[in-house]
Amino acid sequence: MKRMSWEEFARSMGVEPQILENKEARLLKQFVMDLKFPTHCQGCQGLDLNNPNPVHHPSYELTPACNHDCIFCYSNVAVKLGKAPKPGYYGWEDPYAITVSQYGEPLLSPRIVEVNKMLRERFPNARLDLQTNGSLLTEELWKKLDFDLVMISLDAASREKHLKITNADTFDAVVNALKIVGNDKSVRSVVRTIFMPGINDEDIPKIAELAASLGIDEMMLQPLTIHELNVERLKKAGLDFDRAESVREFLKAAMEAKKHIDVRISGCQLAIYRTMDPLTLFSARRIARDVVPIVKRERKER
């Protein structure tokens, strides 16, 4: 007996087969295929899906302290649990890039200029990335720093919303920092924004438009990771936990931001999304809950 395809079987039963179409799913898939990997993610092990245990770029940690107290922050969770990394270099020799830093606010440290110079001299071929909330960046300090890429965190488009998210009245200072780095075309400037549906989803295109108007090159939009110690704070702020786990909702927010700026999403996630067919991508969900992040890299020095 000849084996029939599902289309032939359907017709034999008097039913004309139809291919399930989903226009929005196809648009999301095309959007994902057209996206570029974030500049910060270039050279990262996470882009290689064949790597069973990828680690992030090396980092130099200066301090776990911060002048913001963001309602979603993993760094303050690490501090509360006694898991924050000690100051020093976490990585290996001859790195592609080094991030200063992933925990705390590096510009709080009086050693920021000294460490910046040390890293430039010790790793002359490495791309140096500064990750900061921007509130302490001034023209005077900027002239003393030497980075290739600067990521400034901004998750709200108004002073009131910024205060609600960060518990710090520093919105104007952060906007000024974006202006400072946006004016310096020798550096790649990035605004880093966390997608928090129910809290800041309406702000994201406004942040993109604001950043673009200040000369910022790129927006790195990241999904929210919900750490247990932050659940109540996020709930009180109005987070839609269901939408926070939806890949579709996250990509739709990125599509809106793309109308204003060169938006990009986390490289390791983009690599995975590109492997999905449109309908899987459309319905995919990510596990947003997590414990405190662990630094996988070995600490080399203080």
Side-chain angles (χ1 to χ4, degrees):
M1 181 178 177
K2 179 184 175 183
R3 186 180 181 88
M4 291 188 292
S5 67
W6 71 269
E7 294 97 336
E8 292 171 330
F9 176 75
R11 290 192 177 99
S12 72
M13 299 295 290
V15 177
E16 184 62 28
Q18 294 182 342
I19 298 174
L20 182 62
E21 287 284 349
N22 185 316
K23 183 178 179 180
E24 186 178 356
R26 285 186 280 111
L27 287 174
L28 286 179
K29 175 66 174 182
Q30 189 59 54
F31 176 71
V32 163
M33 298 308 294
D34 290 342
L35 279 179
K36 296 178 181 178
F37 288 107
T39 306
H40 173 63
C41 296
Q42 291 170 11
C44 182
Q45 295 179 19
L47 303 187
D48 180 7
L49 297 182
N50 294 317
N51 188 330
N53 189 33
V55 297
H56 198 273
H57 295 305
S59 70
Y60 195 101
E61 302 302 327
L62 279 163
T63 174
C66 189
N67 60 326
H68 284 184
D69 182 22
C70 298
I71 58 177
F72 60 84
C73 183
Y74 64 81
S75 187
N76 62 30
V77 170
V79 170
K80 291 173 183 176
L81 296 179
K83 300 292 185 180
K86 295 179 180 180
Y89 176 63
Y90 291 78
W92 48 87
E93 295 300 323
D94 195 26
Y96 184 92
I98 302 171
T99 302
V100 181
S101 59
Q102 294 199 343
Y103 287 76
E105 173 48 51
L107 300 189
L108 272 176
S109 172
R111 297 185 62 227
I112 179 63
V113 175
E114 168 199 342
V115 167
N116 186 188
K117 290 180 178 178
M118 178 273 292
L119 292 174
R120 185 64 80 190
E121 292 172 1
R122 179 174 172 182
F123 304 102
N125 298 319
R127 190 190 72 225
L128 298 184
D129 298 356
L130 173 64
Q131 181 168 290
T132 172
N133 64 37
S135 63
L136 301 173
L137 187 64
T138 62
E139 289 278 6
E140 181 182 5
L141 177 57
W142 180 243
K143 291 175 182 177
K144 299 176 183 178
L145 298 176
D146 178 21
F147 285 93
D148 301 296
L149 181 147
V150 178
M151 294 176 287
I152 296 177
S153 297
L154 183 61
D155 301 296
S158 68
R159 180 183 176 186
E160 294 74 22
K161 182 71 70 69
H162 178 77
L163 177 60
K164 176 181 178 181
I165 292 172
T166 66
N167 289 287
D169 191 8
T170 57
F171 179 75
D172 291 341
V174 176
V175 171
N176 186 57
L178 290 169
K179 183 177 180 180
I180 291 171
V181 299
N183 284 334
D184 188 343
K185 295 309 173 185
S186 69
V187 67
R188 181 71 175 177
S189 55
V190 181
V191 61
R192 180 173 173 265
T193 303
I194 307 298
F195 173 59
M196 294 178 280
I199 298 176
N200 76 340
D201 37 337
E202 293 182 356
D203 288 62
I204 289 173
K206 297 176 184 177
I207 295 169
E209 186 174 16
L210 172 63
S213 74
L214 297 174
I216 299 300
D217 299 311
E218 179 183 326
M219 169 182 268
M220 186 175 178
L221 185 65
Q222 296 185 271
L224 174 68
T225 297
I226 304 167
H227 297 283
E228 192 59 38
L229 293 184
N230 292 333
V231 168
E232 288 304 316
R233 300 178 77 189
L234 289 166
K235 186 182 297 183
K236 184 177 179 180
L239 179 70
D240 186 327
F241 286 82
D242 183 64
R243 289 176 59 216
E245 295 184 341
S246 169
V247 172
R248 177 174 72 252
E249 292 293 328
F250 172 63
L251 292 176
K252 285 167 64 178
M255 291 176 77
E256 285 299 309
K258 186 75 171 178
K259 296 175 182 178
H260 305 285
I261 198 170
D262 178 6
V263 72
R264 309 188 185 190
I265 64 174
S266 302
C268 50
Q269 292 175 324
L270 179 56
I272 294 172
Y273 296 163
R274 283 180 171 179
T275 68
M276 296 179 178
D277 65 80
L279 289 177
T280 300
L281 182 66
F282 181 80
S283 58
R285 301 187 67 78
R286 55 182 294 275
I287 299 175
R289 305 278 182 140
D290 199 3
V291 293
V292 61
I294 302 297
V295 177
K296 295 183 179 180
R297 304 170 295 280
E298 181 182 352
R299 179 167 173 261
K300 295 293 186 182
E301 65 169 42
R302 188 168 180 81

